[in-house]
Amino acid sequence: MENNSITPQGIDPSRVLLTGATGYVGRRLLPRLEARGLSVRCLARDPAKLQGKSAETTEIVPGDVLDRDSLVAALDGVEIAYYLVHLMASSSRFEQQDREAAENFASAAKATGLRRIIYLGGLGDDSDPTLSPHLRSRHEVGEIFRRSGVEVIEFRASVVVGSGSLSFDLIQSLTNRLPVMICPRWLATPTQPIAIEDMLQYLTAAIDLPPSASRIFEVGGSEIVTYGKLIQEYARQRGLRRWLISVPILTPRLSSLWLGLVTPASAEVGRHLIEGLRNPTVVRNPDALQVFTQRPMGIEQAIREALQQSDTAV
């Protein structure tokens, strides 16, 4: 049944803009939005990448977050917009470009009367002077959106566990290829991974929130673990015996070059990711559990489902 009427809360979610529809989270979110009977519009730099991957009712428009005029056209008539864009993989100047893209989007959203931005960022303590450029940039984007005056629902998450997630694929590639791993200190950093299924549930539920001031929701799975634990649990479920040897001298730059040798990720992207892995990424504010009904799964189930997804895709 279509959900095209204005909700009692006052926001009409019948037309939604989805940016980042070709990315890992975006391409999984798209069919869920379509299944709700929403009129979905996808912004894509290369619309051809979405051909045959969306419902006939979904509108695909060309545009770029670095081109404000294209954003104004894409946001016309839209009430809610998802911002799932991160430029880390496309440029070594990702901080500057993420800032420019966010300012463009915020300005276009304000000009077109957008009612709500739903944004997926990253966990991390803003007061930490060693917070990585990657995580600090994620937080800055959310702040730029809030300054626009448009309501923002910002989710902050750590590693998203699922087949095809870049962070999870790094863990998978390392564990599959290296029986003995000389590991950097960041393997002892605490993190609170979230399964892709739980992340998608949060993102779709955000449509139904009543209007309010902008909010930040920290979300994660039911367990706080280390990256070393993630590797060990993945190895256990795959029936692999792996030994982790921690050394204090493997710097983030050397780590990224090491990752570049054993994973599909480039050394540049790997370096930015690892700089973020040195910072604890755990939920410190439990508000999401009060506002949403979602109760995220633990790491064992999250990895099991990710492996099932991976095996099914083969």
Side-chain angles (χ1 to χ4, degrees):
M1 181 176 180
E2 291 193 357
N3 180 19
N4 290 333
S5 60
I6 295 179
T7 68
Q9 294 82 8
I11 291 182
D12 178 3
S14 61
R15 175 164 289 178
V16 175
L17 177 70
L18 176 62
T19 68
T22 60
Y24 174 68
V25 175
R27 67 177 181 266
R28 284 159 178 77
L29 181 62
L30 176 57
R32 290 172 179 257
L33 299 177
E34 293 170 337
R36 287 188 54 150
L38 305 176
S39 176
V40 183
R41 179 184 293 167
C42 294
L43 178 79
R45 282 183 294 182
D46 184 1
K49 290 184 177 180
L50 288 174
Q51 288 184 352
K53 299 178 181 178
S54 61
E56 291 183 2
T57 55
T58 293
E59 182 184 4
I60 302 171
V61 297
D64 191 321
V65 290
L66 295 175
D67 178 359
R68 183 185 179 279
D69 289 342
S70 71
L71 294 177
V72 170
L75 286 165
D76 182 44
V78 170
E79 291 269 325
I80 296 175
Y82 284 92
Y83 193 86
L84 305 178
V85 176
H86 189 11
L87 299 175
M88 182 178 67
S90 62
S91 172
S92 59
R93 298 167 45 247
F94 74 89
E95 293 170 89
Q96 178 182 337
Q97 290 198 334
D98 268 340
R99 184 180 304 116
E100 180 183 347
E103 289 172 345
N104 286 341
F105 198 83
S107 174
K110 185 69 173 179
T112 56
L114 186 73
R115 299 289 295 278
R116 174 177 294 164
I117 298 171
I118 302 174
Y119 165 57
L120 177 56
L123 283 168
D125 185 354
D126 285 310
S127 65
D128 183 354
T130 67
L131 193 65
S132 73
H134 162 52
L135 293 175
R136 197 168 296 282
S137 177
R138 297 285 75 207
H139 294 183
E140 182 186 18
V141 168
E143 178 58 31
I144 290 170
F145 289 160
R146 286 186 289 276
R147 289 202 301 264
S148 72
V150 176
E151 181 195 350
V152 180
I153 304 298
E154 176 181 350
F155 290 103
R156 292 185 176 181
S158 181
V159 173
V160 176
V161 179
S163 176
S165 161
L166 179 56
S167 296
F168 184 70
D169 282 355
L170 290 175
I171 291 170
Q172 183 172 242
S173 296
L174 284 170
T175 311
N176 285 345
R177 302 184 189 194
L178 297 178
V180 179
M181 283 178 260
I182 307 299
C183 302
R185 287 176 295 181
W186 53 257
L187 257 71
T189 302
T191 184
Q192 199 164 347
I194 185 169
I196 180 61
E197 176 68 22
D198 289 322
M199 191 68 255
L200 294 172
Q201 292 281 3
Y202 277 123
L203 288 168
T204 53
I207 289 179
D208 301 318
L209 292 177
S212 73
S214 293
R215 286 168 285 182
I216 297 173
F217 293 109
E218 298 183 347
V219 295
S222 62
E223 301 171 73
I224 296 175
V225 296
T226 65
Y227 291 99
K229 172 65 176 177
L230 282 175
I231 289 175
Q232 291 168 338
E233 177 59 27
Y234 172 87
R236 185 189 71 79
Q237 292 196 32
R238 277 300 196 202
L240 302 171
R241 298 183 67 185
R242 294 295 182 261
W243 288 266
L244 308 182
I245 301 173
S246 181
V247 295
I249 59 173
L250 203 58
T251 66
R253 181 170 293 277
L254 289 176
S255 296
S256 66
L257 295 174
W258 168 61
L259 285 175
L261 293 174
V262 297
T263 73
S266 70
E268 182 68 21
V269 173
R271 181 171 67 85
H272 293 313
L273 283 174
I274 291 174
E275 285 176 348
L277 299 183
R278 74 190 182 199
N279 300 123
T281 48
V282 298
V283 173
R284 296 174 299 138
N285 185 326
D287 282 357
L289 296 177
Q290 304 299 319
V291 174
F292 299 95
T293 60
Q294 186 69 9
R295 294 297 176 264
M297 66 187 74
I299 193 62
E300 181 179 349
Q301 183 180 353
I303 291 177
R304 184 185 307 115
E305 292 191 3
L307 293 180
Q308 290 171 350
Q309 296 165 2
S310 179
D311 293 342
T312 301
V314 173

